[in-house]
Amino acid sequence: MTDFYFICSKCGGICCKDAKPPITKRRLEILLNAGAKLENFEYKKYRYPKVREDGFCIFFIDGKCSVHNVKPETCVAGPFTFDLKNEKLEIYIKKPTICPLVSLLKEDQKLYEEQLCRALENIVRLILDLDRSELEEILKVEEYEIEKVFELNLCEYLRDRQKKL
């Protein structure tokens, strides 16, 4: 699996500004075990990392993510994002103006597919780990400069995945 850390650290943290990635109970425990402090998080209808006065995530330090190896599921999924409408899980990709990684992914089909699979895995884990009320709040967040790339029936996907286990 390709690690995009180099590219992510070169864009200036565009996606780390004004972002409030959801933090599940499981992810919170992982982050706390990695050294994060409980006071690094806010809870307003769902838990997310605090945002500094300059608009950046509290974990964005010296131009890079200080929790890169354990970062939230939506951050790992980037530049893919999602929406959930009834049982349909819709996957979107951000425009290159939001994430320079998109251009690289669109040039290399294998990398694109790797990251899409990684995104899908993390998004599904997030959806399953969130309380329903938290998920509903997250789904209210409007995202711009995105294009739909994939859709699946979440219930069917979970049934198929369960059969494989």
Side-chain angles (χ1 to χ4, degrees), residues 12-151:
I14 295 169
C15 65
C16 300
K17 189 164 185 174
D18 301 321
K20 295 179 180 173
I23 305 295
T24 63
K25 292 173 187 166
R26 179 190 319 207
R27 183 60 46 184
L28 179 63
E29 187 176 314
I30 291 168
L31 287 160
L32 293 174
N33 287 335
K37 305 290 182 223
L38 199 52
E39 59 266 14
N40 293 144
F41 302 93
E42 286 192 42
Y43 193 96
K44 294 180 181 173
K45 301 189 181 187
Y46 72 92
R47 183 179 293 108
Y48 55 88
K50 284 186 176 177
V51 176
R52 298 189 319 236
E53 283 187 28
D54 62 2
F56 282 97
C57 171
I58 195 165
F59 297 118
F60 186 72
I61 300 170
D62 296 328
K64 58 187 174 188
C65 178
S66 65
V67 295
H68 178 74
N69 293 330
V70 293
K71 63 187 176 180
E73 290 85 356
T74 56
C75 299
V76 174
F80 293 96
T81 187
F82 75 102
D83 200 358
L84 188 59
K85 296 178 181 171
N86 299 317
E87 293 183 6
K88 296 285 185 199
L89 175 59
E90 299 176 344
I91 304 295
Y92 297 83
I93 193 165
K94 297 177 188 239
K95 301 279 180 149
T97 52
I98 299 295
C99 180
L101 184 56
V102 173
S103 296
L104 172 70
L105 291 175
K106 288 191 172 186
E107 291 171 6
D108 187 323
Q109 188 64 31
K110 185 176 184 246
L111 283 178
Y112 183 94
E113 290 173 7
E114 278 182 16
Q115 186 59 18
L116 179 58
C117 287
R118 185 186 217 184
L120 182 59
E121 177 185 315
N122 279 275
I123 289 167
V124 169
R125 182 180 314 121
L126 175 72
I127 290 169
L128 294 175
D129 285 350
L130 285 168
D131 292 337
R132 183 171 196 79
S133 63
E134 293 174 321
L135 180 58
E136 288 172 0
E137 285 304 315
I138 292 159
L139 293 173
K140 290 178 186 176
V141 175
E142 288 291 325
E143 295 211 47
Y144 302 96
E145 296 193 57
I146 57 174
E147 67 178 275
K148 187 174 174 181
V149 295
F150 186 70
E151 175 181 293

